[in-house]
Amino acid sequence: EDGRREEVTNKAPVRVFHNPNRYQTKSDFILYLMRSLLLDGNAYAVCTRNDRFEVESLYPINPRGVYPYITPEGDVFYQHGDTLTEELAALEKSQWFPQRDVLHIRLFCPKHFLVGESPITAALFPAAAGMEINRHTASFFHNMGRPSGILRHPGKLSQEAMQRLKKRFAELVTGPNTGEPIVLQEDMSFTPLTMSAVDSEIIASARLAERQIAQVFRVPPFLLGDLEKATFQNVESLSRYFIQSALGFYIDHFEDAFAQFFGLPRGEYIHFDVESALLRSDLKERMDAYAKGIQSGVLAPNEARQ
């Protein structure tokens, strides 16, 4: 009531977060849920309970094999199977879990309020363009010899002689012989070809596709290794922007989903601490801030030490 907060250490969320299940660490568990949420729009974990009916462990499951079902009475169940078909055999082999035993974290639900949608949906066109760029780049460097160009012969060659000459020339300028000097006979000439303007813009086009996809996930380009507009002065500001605009949204989403699943009473909540891990400044700045806090009476010396 006086506004102070205290940490609860004797409830199921504490035990589950410390050791989610017998196979995963808490980092493995969160990574699996986050990947499922971003790529599929839904993240699921099924719980096991102890003799007191408390949640004892959480096991994540593949979101692409889970389907929600609402009974005529309004109860929610989740069907989980190894197949995506709706055949009777698949339904008989599938498992059904009540809503109380399923942790379900979902993103935007434009089609059904129990079925989330991945942000990748908004990046279909740049993602498709990026795939085509990668395919074209691989084909370009796979088929192109060094040096590349047009081989001219003064006479008229038969089809067999032309194929033999082409094969021999390719052997001299590709593979382990790439870049080796070549000797031409019978007034033959070789004209190298330069890269076209379209091919020279491949890198720029790929970078544009990456930035468009990053925008969908609200990820600053410097986190993807693009340091074009990043400096030592603004990296901390960019990190704070990432946490507030992108990561903060997912953190709040996870906190609310976990709190609802564990049935926390009013006044109790789950909080992920990112300040100390991701936004801690250097030692000098922290000491200056603590000194000012103590001098102004905002912090007590013991609080600053802690």
Side-chain angles (χ1 to χ4, degrees), residues 66-127:
V66 181
Y67 306 92
Y69 175 76
I70 303 177
T71 66
E73 293 77 16
D75 298 323
V76 178
F77 289 85
Y78 290 90
Q79 173 205 349
H80 177 245
D82 296 330
T83 173
L84 298 181
T85 63
E86 293 293 340
E87 299 176 358
L88 180 60
L91 293 175
E92 292 176 350
K93 293 181 181 179
S94 63
Q95 295 177 291
W96 293 82
F97 301 99
Q99 187 180 31
R100 65 176 180 272
D101 290 339
V102 178
L103 168 66
H104 182 190
I105 308 174
R106 52 190 177 270
L107 288 180
F108 313 103
C109 305
K111 300 177 182 179
H112 190 283
F113 59 87
L114 287 177
V115 179
E117 192 167 277
S118 170
I120 295 181
T121 306
L124 287 180
F125 289 109

Side-chain angles (χ1 to χ4, degrees), residues 4-185:
R4 291 184 296 110
R5 296 183 302 176
E6 63 181 42
E7 185 178 358
V8 180
T9 60
N10 58 351
K11 286 196 172 184
V14 180
R15 298 191 298 269
V16 173
F17 276 122
H18 179 70
N19 186 21
N21 55 65
R22 57 185 298 185
Y23 303 108
Q24 293 178 305
T25 65
K26 56 185 177 182
S27 179
D28 297 331
F29 179 71
I30 294 295
L31 282 175
Y32 189 96
L33 293 183
M34 193 67 184
R35 183 181 186 276
S36 300
L37 188 68
L38 294 180
L39 296 185
D40 297 285
N42 299 273
Y44 300 95
V46 177
C47 76
T48 60
R49 298 180 182 271
N50 56 22
D51 296 336
R52 298 190 297 272
F53 206 65
E54 298 173 334
V55 177
E56 187 175 38
S57 59
L58 278 171
Y59 292 87
I61 54 179
N62 187 355
R64 300 185 181 183
V66 181
Y67 306 92
Y69 175 76
I70 303 177
T71 66
E73 293 77 16
D75 298 323
V76 178
F77 289 85
Y78 290 90
Q79 173 205 349
H80 177 245
D82 296 330
T83 173
L84 298 181
T85 63
E86 293 293 340
E87 299 176 358
L88 180 60
L91 293 175
E92 292 176 350
K93 293 181 181 179
S94 63
Q95 295 177 291
W96 293 82
F97 301 99
Q99 187 180 31
R100 65 176 180 272
D101 290 339
V102 178
L103 168 66
H104 182 190
I105 308 174
R106 52 190 177 270
L107 288 180
F108 313 103
C109 305
K111 300 177 182 179
H112 190 283
F113 59 87
L114 287 177
V115 179
E117 192 167 277
S118 170
I120 295 181
T121 306
L124 287 180
F125 289 109
M131 293 174 62
E132 289 298 326
I133 291 173
N134 291 337
R135 188 179 297 111
H136 174 76
T137 304
S139 176
F140 177 79
F141 286 103
H142 176 73
N143 295 327
M144 187 176 182
R146 285 288 188 271
S148 64
I150 300 175
L151 189 63
R152 290 184 173 87
H153 191 278
K156 185 176 181 180
L157 300 176
S158 64
Q159 187 70 21
E160 181 181 356
M162 190 165 51
Q163 291 295 332
R164 187 170 60 251
L165 181 60
K166 176 183 176 182
K167 180 180 179 181
R168 179 57 181 162
F169 185 81
E171 292 175 353
L172 292 174
V173 298
T174 59
N177 299 320
T178 300
E180 291 288 334
I182 57 175
V183 178
L184 301 178
Q185 302 178 4

Side-chain angles (χ1 to χ4, degrees), residues 224-299:
L224 302 179
D226 186 356
L227 303 179
E228 181 179 348
K229 296 183 179 180
T231 64
F232 289 107
Q233 287 78 15
N234 66 359
V235 166
E236 183 177 350
S237 300
L238 291 174
S239 299
R240 186 174 296 275
Y241 163 78
F242 168 65
I243 292 176
Q244 293 175 348
S245 64
L247 190 61
F249 166 76
Y250 295 109
I251 289 176
D252 292 340
H253 216 51
F254 269 65
E255 291 172 348
D256 293 340
F258 278 117
Q260 183 181 22
F261 172 75
F262 284 105
L264 299 183
R266 182 183 297 272
E268 291 186 6
Y269 59 94
I270 292 175
H271 174 68
F272 288 95
D273 181 18
V274 297
E275 292 290 333
S276 60
L278 300 178
L279 294 179
R280 171 172 288 189
S281 56
D282 58 44
L283 180 62
K284 182 179 182 302
E285 291 182 357
R286 282 191 286 134
M287 290 302 167
D288 292 342
Y290 294 151
K292 292 180 180 179
I294 295 174
Q295 293 174 2
S296 61
V298 176
L299 289 176

